[in-house]
Amino acid sequence: MARPSPPDFSNPDTVRDPYPAFACLREHYPVYWCPHFNAWMLTRFDDVYAAQGDARRYSSDRIRQLVNAQLPEDKRAMVEPFVEKASRWMYAQDGQAHQASRQLLSRAFTPRAIDALRADIQAIVDELLSQLSDEPELMAELFNQVPARILAKLYGIPQKDALRLRRWTDDILVFLVGSLDPAYGPREALQGLEEMYEYFGDLIDQRRQAPEDDLVSRVIAAGEAAAITKGNLLAQLAFVLVAGNTTSADMLGIGLLHLLLNPDQLQALRADLSLMACAIEEMLRIDPSGQFSHRVLREDIELKGRMMRKGELVFLVRAAANRDAAHFLDPDRFDIRREKNDHLAFGRGEHFCMGTALFRLEAHIVFTSLLMRFPNLRLIDGQPPVWRTNNLQFRGLKTIHVELH
Ligand code: HEM
């Protein structure tokens, strides 16, 4: 039988529900050169798993290639300041420079520091839940606010500034990997980045003069001990927000949607809230908000009969790997009791997500509080949730309207 045509990733319908496209690639084109992204796409679990763990051949120094892959040459000069700044994020570094940046944060981002946020997170969630309207749109009223407010708390910045963080991180992320929406172009990304750096530059100066008991002050102290420049400090502090804000907000919305679309699973969870940790892992597996990572090849690699060339971009499609039937039993089923669930939603290897404990803690508090407070929580008939379709990498809902009572 002839192979089906490969999917069209420039089509917003593919972005709205990418899973049939990923299934097609996994089965028929496991090593696929995508002309829309100018990148290879790997979709099988074993291939994604191996590449995520292979920093020697798969470099993370990716920002320039990502920008070049989507902008014609005459438009690139304008975003050069963006490329320069973003290339210093730990996420785009390799080897020793990467290790130094990671260490800078890990000294401040300890499990103890995260656990100490528990009461603050609960207070943020309780306050937002008590203010919900009768038929709330939960992205605006809850999910977009929770991670931004938590990160504001962690950074010791005023709660009123929290939503500005979300706007900046959206501007940067939607552009970074092929925006399908002109409202999120290179100009907006650059502006978002510059505003964010100005804000954090001022914050670093303030905390240098008067340290407080917050992440920024701890990172500054670690940076001074290791003689790290202000530019590098700024890059890593800003990147934590880029990495942790939009992804977490979207994951909360997506997670709730899967519960509401699977009433048997929701009921089982309500009946036994000790299943919560397992349910959160299943949300991350079946529909991760960050759908893929990118790498640049350091050498030619032949894989499954295709030759990928040194210098080319590769997308490691973790969302497709998470539904590979060669690795997961009945992978399209949302099963909060799944026993073997070694999903790749947080990546793997040297760049493994640094925010896993924080996300798991906030998701636990958000979902437990929501379910306990609103036993009749449900979607509204005739008002289905709406997916964003502006970017394949960062998946999330535009709106999710629910009835509470
Ligand atoms: C559901 C929420 C989240 C998801 C799905 C997620 C996913 C990921 C993934 C897949 C990576 C690796 C990227 C790569 O290999 O190229 C990553 C890296 C990272 N994440 Fe997360 N993340 C989430 C939340 C957070 C939060 C809340 C924070 C911090 C507040 C955070 C901080 C980081 C950092 C600092 C890195 C870079 C690590 C490095 O380059 O060494 N993430 N994240």
Side-chain angles (χ1 to χ4, degrees):
M1 219 171 60
R3 284 198 296 187
S5 315
D8 173 8
F9 288 105
S10 67
N11 181 344
D13 290 336
T14 312
V15 178
R16 184 173 296 110
D17 177 10
Y19 292 100
F22 293 156
C24 169
L25 292 188
R26 222 173 27 233
E27 184 172 352
H28 301 286
Y29 304 91
V31 181
Y32 172 61
W33 174 257
C34 176
H36 173 67
F37 287 116
N38 288 316
W40 294 96
M41 293 174 102
L42 306 185
T43 42
R44 290 193 182 163
F45 186 93
D46 288 351
D47 293 333
V48 175
Y49 182 90
Q52 287 264 183
D54 185 353
R56 189 182 63 78
R57 294 191 303 167
Y58 291 82
S59 162
S60 283
D61 184 2
R62 58 186 107 169
I63 305 293
R64 186 171 299 284
Q65 271 87 345
L66 282 171
V67 168
N68 288 357
Q70 57 177 315
L71 284 185
E73 239 175 298
D74 58 327
K75 298 244 167 73
R76 290 179 194 162
M78 188 193 106
V79 284
E80 192 53 30
F82 179 96
V83 172
E84 274 173 20
K85 286 195 167 78
S87 295
R88 299 175 75 175
W89 296 340
M90 68 169 76
Y91 160 89
Q93 291 177 314
D94 289 322
Q96 281 185 351
H98 171 248
Q99 274 168 24
S101 303
R102 217 175 143 103
Q103 209 176 9
L104 182 70
L105 276 191
S106 59
R107 287 206 195 128
F109 224 66
T110 59
R112 220 178 98 234
I114 300 304
D115 203 57
L117 287 171
R118 187 180 291 271
D120 287 321
I121 298 177
Q122 187 70 60
I124 289 169
V125 172
D126 286 344
E127 187 190 338
L128 289 167
L129 291 185
S130 69
Q131 292 167 355
L132 290 180
S133 57
D134 270 356
E135 291 190 354
E137 192 291 284
L138 286 181
M139 288 314 297
E141 292 188 38
L142 183 64
F143 298 137
N144 284 342
Q145 309 231 12
V146 171
R149 287 188 185 216
I150 295 171
L151 287 164
K153 187 86 208 168
L154 188 68
Y155 276 61
I157 60 184
Q159 291 285 305
K160 69 173 173 44
D161 288 352
L163 282 181
R164 288 172 73 193
L165 307 180
R166 169 80 210 219
R167 177 70 211 181
W168 294 330
T169 57
D170 281 358
D171 281 348
I172 293 165
L173 286 180
V174 176
F175 161 70
L176 197 55
V177 190
S179 166
L180 290 178
D181 179 349
Y184 291 90
R187 204 175 298 278
E188 288 72 19
L190 183 59
Q191 194 182 334
L193 193 76
E194 283 180 341
E195 283 179 20
M196 191 173 173
Y197 273 49
E198 201 183 311
Y199 186 96
F200 279 106
D202 291 347
L203 189 68
I204 290 177
D205 292 343
Q206 282 168 25
R207 293 297 191 276
R208 270 204 168 129
Q209 280 174 8
E212 291 190 16
D213 181 24
D214 58 26
L215 177 117
V216 177
S217 306
R218 286 193 291 273
V219 171
I220 291 173
E224 276 168 0
I228 296 232
T229 62
K230 181 178 172 190
N232 197 1
L233 270 183
L234 193 54
Q236 309 321 332
L237 282 172
F239 176 68
V240 170
L241 281 189
V242 173
N245 199 12
T246 304
T247 43
S248 301
D250 287 335
M251 197 62 236
L252 293 173
I254 295 171
L256 180 70
L257 178 62
H258 282 277
L259 283 177
L260 297 177
L261 291 176
N262 291 278
D264 59 324
Q265 301 290 309
L266 177 58
Q267 207 182 351
L269 184 58
R270 281 191 184 286
D272 179 3
L273 284 174
S274 73
L275 291 170
M276 186 59 84
C278 206
I280 292 168
E281 296 313 302
E282 183 63 345
M283 296 166 187
L284 286 158
R285 182 194 68 83
I286 200 154
D287 211 352
S289 52
Q291 299 251 295
F292 51 88
S293 299
H294 356 77
R295 297 289 186 268
V296 177
L297 292 173
R298 287 180 198 267
E299 56 186 66
D300 292 355
I301 295 182
E302 191 180 348
L303 191 61
K304 300 193 164 58
R306 303 294 311 267
M307 184 54 99
M308 305 191 290
R309 294 285 176 199
K310 181 177 173 180
E312 287 176 337
L313 257 182
V314 187
F315 288 180
L316 314 177
V317 190
R318 292 175 283 96
N322 280 354
R323 293 196 188 198
D324 186 343
H327 192 83
F328 295 99
L329 205 65
D330 203 359
D332 292 319
R333 198 171 108 77
F334 179 69
D335 177 4
I336 63 165
R337 291 195 177 85
R338 187 175 289 276
E339 277 174 10
K340 177 175 168 286
N341 196 354
D342 53 347
H343 63 74
L344 296 173
F346 290 122
R348 175 180 176 255
E350 301 197 3
H351 290 268
F352 185 68
C353 176
M354 291 190 77
T356 54
L358 178 57
F359 177 74
R360 286 177 171 135
L361 177 64
E362 73 187 69
H364 209 285
I365 293 174
V366 167
F367 291 123
T368 306
S369 309
L370 251 182
L371 296 191
M372 285 178 65
R373 199 161 177 145
F374 303 111
N376 293 317
L377 179 72
R378 62 197 179 281
L379 291 171
I380 301 180
D381 283 345
Q383 225 174 330
V386 179
W387 288 99
R388 280 201 319 263
T389 55
N390 56 8
N391 181 291
L392 182 71
Q393 185 182 1
F394 293 100
R395 179 161 170 76
L397 294 170
K398 217 184 231 173
T399 57
I400 173 167
H401 292 271
V402 295
E403 269 178 282
L404 296 179
H405 303 289

